[in-house]
Amino acid sequence: MNAPVPTHRPILQLNDQLISQIAAGEVVERPSAVVKELLENALDAGATQVTIRLEEGGVKRIAITDNGRGIAPDQLPLALARHATSKIASLTELEHVATLGFRGEALASIASVAAVSITSRTLDAPHAWEIVGSHLGTVAPSSGPCGTTIDVQDLYFNTPARRKFLKSEQTEYGHCAEVVRRIALSRPDVSFSLTHNGRTIDHWNVCEMAKRSSQILGSDFAEARLAIDEAAGPLRLHGYAGLPTASKARADGQFFYVNGRYVRDKLLVHAVRAAYQDVLHGDRFPSYVLALDLDPALVDVNVHPSKIEVRFRDSRAVHQFVFHAVQRALAATSATAHGSVPAPITAAGITTSGGSDWRRPHEQTGFGTQLNESPSQTFSPSPFAPGSRWDAPEQAGVAQSTANYGALFADGAARPAASTAVMPMPAPSSGPSNDDFPLGFALAQLHGIYILAQNTRGLVLVDMHAAHERILYEQLKNALDARVDGQDMQVQSLLIPVTFFADAIEVATANDHQDTLTALGFDIAALSPTTLAVRAVPTLLKNADAQTLARDVLRDVREFGGSRVLIERRNELLGTLACHTAVRANRILSNPEMNALLRQMESTERADQCNHGRPTWVQLDISALDKLFLRGQ
């Protein structure tokens, strides 16, 4: 189709009405944009109560009433005039914008495409005043309480082409409701009431952020979130980040605010996403309500007509601050699972108590010398060593007296770790408190996959492979970080090198990337053009299949390059190595081995899920078990 030939006309000055209608195309995209602008004005006016009334999805009517400062009668015409505002008066103030609105275009643009009336009363006025239409309208006495009501009716009545692009009533209402939710989340100190077609849909009283976020995002979010409040220099990040196990298939639970303004900023989204990168599936999205406060001079909010995008003066510093704040919050939790524990349980610094190794020699097949050798030491961060043997009975897997089981139960009865028989055991007079071991103590292993444990709240179910995978993964990251800091990577030389057939590309990769392989703790050498030998592996992986580990490392180094593997792809590679090394299904564990895994989970960062984002354990409370068996009914 041929483009229309432009008509040659002289340059003319556009009239104010057409200018406002053009501006409305940017500001008033749909009814929800009107709701946003009017709500921001209400909050800028100091309102603590806001009522939003919608009809037909906001197309027929949007009426917003607030109890703010109000507008003096002589200033009502200016409120509807273009480029008239009380919020800035100079370039300096523009560069330090501390209000939500500041352009002075919103009301004029809205009035150019809808029928608008403003009724307002200041605190010292004997009655309210009203203006209808535009800045050319007459200001007349009216009635009403202190504050302002802006009534917008018949949106796009004079621009029918624009109205045709609107969606269904329910769709437009949904967009309006979402705007109200976003703004209500940012201001729990303000009460909001939303009605549609005469029916009250939502009402939120003044409350704390914890309650407001629970009201709007739901109880699922409230039961699976982490509080964040960190500051560094001029930056402060506060709010809530959802647990990885409470992730969603869509990114509709993500709310980020900069100086109280809801934004969709790529830099901030990336920073949060990066913090979740090794605890979340790639196709899942975390939920969060986060607010970043900083000096207004350090952020430019005037880069988009809808003010939903911002630009930071030092974007890198902001990105790193947000990334590390969220990452630390996720790392500070011990094992918690969505829907099982209402608040994260921390168990840092778990120490063992007195006890002896009572196991028979044929039962000593656990992680052996990689755990404590002294009852008074803190548990080692070392992993399982599946298939290894303990050379001496005194090298206990868990130096934990069975008497400590009694500390978990008020009635003093407990199940010993080494026997299937139930025998009474009095609680020790001095021992660990009930909170010392959040994951409790192992009772049994189910199908060689799950560990069943008992804690003060009820039954704990642990996926032993997923849990061990997270433990190994964190240990590998710490070991590699320690090497970067100048410490040696703990390497296990193999008594008999593992040789395997390799193609020419694998041999070339091993020869060309010796520095990278050494940094990762591997010694892989070419014995011939078709044979590679694995002579050393990281100590943490010494019980894994050396050939499989070598092929995985060589594949990633070949595909991404040595430096990129160590920087950008490090976590993916370490996750693969941890998965290969973690204890497998159908691996029978003794009770001390299972308890050692529970203790390591309690002292491992991000232990509530494996590095693929799957939960490692869940809690079944006694009350939930009682319901299953109709006890007390």
Side-chain angles (χ1 to χ4, degrees), residues 442-489:
L443 300 174
Q445 191 177 15
L446 182 65
H447 290 290
I449 301 174
Y450 301 104
I451 294 173
L452 279 64
Q454 177 172 306
N455 65 359
T456 54
R457 299 187 57 184
L459 178 66
V460 173
L461 299 175
V462 177
D463 182 330
M464 65 183 195
H465 174 76
H468 192 210
E469 186 176 358
R470 166 56 68 181
I471 292 169
L472 281 172
Y473 177 52
E474 293 298 328
Q475 290 167 352
L476 287 168
K477 288 198 298 183
N478 292 337
L480 196 56
D481 288 341
R483 189 185 186 284
V484 172
D485 292 337
Q487 303 177 35
D488 292 334
M489 167 79 78

Side-chain angles (χ1 to χ4, degrees), residues 37-99:
E37 297 290 348
L38 299 187
L39 282 179
E40 289 180 347
N41 282 342
L43 296 178
D44 284 341
T48 59
Q49 296 177 2
V50 180
T51 300
I52 305 100
R53 290 170 289 166
L54 305 175
E55 293 182 19
E56 296 183 9
V59 177
K60 182 178 180 180
R61 188 183 189 193
I62 300 171
I64 295 183
T65 300
D66 67 65
N67 67 341
R69 290 185 293 271
I71 305 172
D74 61 321
Q75 293 200 322
L76 282 174
L78 284 174
L80 290 172
R82 294 184 65 247
H83 304 308
T85 179
S86 62
K87 299 168 186 178
I88 61 170
S90 67
L91 179 60
T92 301
E93 291 182 347
L94 177 62
E95 294 175 347
H96 296 77
V97 171
T99 54

Side-chain angles (χ1 to χ4, degrees), residues 166-240:
L166 297 179
K167 305 300 182 182
S168 67
E169 175 181 328
Q170 194 58 37
T171 297
E172 296 300 339
Y173 165 74
H175 286 289
C176 292
E178 180 64 18
V179 166
V180 176
R181 291 173 71 235
R182 291 172 182 171
I183 293 179
L185 261 177
S186 70
R187 295 295 301 270
D189 58 324
V190 178
S191 68
F192 293 85
S193 182
L194 171 64
T195 66
H196 185 224
N197 293 337
R199 184 168 66 94
T200 299
I201 306 298
D202 287 308
H203 180 80
W204 302 297
N205 290 321
V206 174
C207 59
E208 298 295 325
M209 174 55 77
K211 185 175 181 180
R212 178 64 60 84
S213 60
S214 175
Q215 291 172 333
I216 294 179
L217 271 68
S219 58
D220 287 347
F221 178 77
E223 294 173 359
R225 65 187 179 190
L226 305 170
I228 296 177
D229 194 343
E230 289 207 22
L235 305 176
R236 181 196 175 204
L237 184 72
H238 55 101
Y240 296 97

Side-chain angles (χ1 to χ4, degrees), residues 334-633:
S334 77
T336 56
H338 171 50
S340 62
V341 182
I345 302 173
T346 57
I350 298 292
T351 57
T352 63
S353 56
S356 61
D357 184 14
W358 44 261
R359 292 176 300 157
R360 306 178 185 91
H362 73 272
E363 294 177 318
Q364 297 173 359
T365 58
F367 12 94
T369 57
Q370 297 187 36
L371 284 180
N372 285 355
E373 298 183 7
S374 170
S376 63
Q377 292 177 338
T378 303
F379 280 104
S380 163
S382 302
F384 284 94
S388 66
R389 294 186 60 84
W390 291 353
D391 298 326
E394 62 269 16
Q395 293 174 335
V398 179
Q400 174 63 45
S401 169
T402 55
N404 287 331
Y405 283 66
L408 291 174
F409 316 112
D411 59 7
R415 184 185 303 275
S419 173
T420 58
V422 178
M423 56 187 294
M425 185 171 294
S429 57
S430 62
S433 69
N434 289 356
D435 294 330
D436 284 340
F437 302 100
L439 295 181
F441 295 90
L443 300 174
Q445 191 177 15
L446 182 65
H447 290 290
I449 301 174
Y450 301 104
I451 294 173
L452 279 64
Q454 177 172 306
N455 65 359
T456 54
R457 299 187 57 184
L459 178 66
V460 173
L461 299 175
V462 177
D463 182 330
M464 65 183 195
H465 174 76
H468 192 210
E469 186 176 358
R470 166 56 68 181
I471 292 169
L472 281 172
Y473 177 52
E474 293 298 328
Q475 290 167 352
L476 287 168
K477 288 198 298 183
N478 292 337
L480 196 56
D481 288 341
R483 189 185 186 284
V484 172
D485 292 337
Q487 303 177 35
D488 292 334
M489 167 79 78
Q490 295 296 315
V491 174
Q492 176 69 52
S493 297
L494 302 183
L495 183 61
I496 301 176
V498 174
T499 60
F500 60 94
F501 174 82
D503 59 34
I505 295 178
E506 288 177 321
V507 173
T509 302
N511 288 330
D512 295 342
H513 295 281
Q514 280 296 313
D515 290 344
T516 299
L517 296 174
T518 300
L520 292 168
F522 288 89
D523 182 356
I524 304 174
L527 298 184
S528 75
T530 58
T531 306
L532 287 176
V534 184
R535 299 185 297 200
V537 296
T539 301
L540 293 169
L541 307 179
K542 67 180 182 181
N543 294 288
D545 182 87
Q547 178 180 334
T548 301
L549 292 179
R551 288 191 184 278
D552 284 338
V553 170
L554 291 173
R555 183 192 62 239
D556 276 16
V557 170
R558 179 178 69 246
E559 183 175 354
F560 301 107
S563 59
R564 190 177 175 196
V565 160
L566 290 175
I567 300 174
E568 298 178 25
R569 303 287 302 183
R570 185 193 76 157
N571 288 352
E572 289 86 344
L573 173 59
L574 297 184
T576 300
L577 299 180
C579 186
H580 281 308
T581 312
V583 60
R584 294 297 181 183
N586 299 319
R587 163 83 162 91
I588 303 303
L589 304 180
S590 66
N591 272 60
E593 289 174 321
M594 290 187 283
N595 283 319
L597 176 61
L598 298 180
R599 301 293 78 81
Q600 286 186 322
M601 290 174 64
E602 290 166 345
S603 59
T604 297
E605 294 181 345
R606 307 173 184 87
D608 54 344
Q609 67 284 310
C610 73
N611 47 298
H612 303 298
R614 294 188 293 269
T616 58
W617 73 284
V618 294
Q619 172 89 52
L620 287 177
D621 292 347
I622 287 293
S623 59
L625 295 173
D626 287 343
K627 289 180 181 179
L628 289 176
F629 294 97
L630 305 180
R631 289 179 60 87
Q633 299 185 20

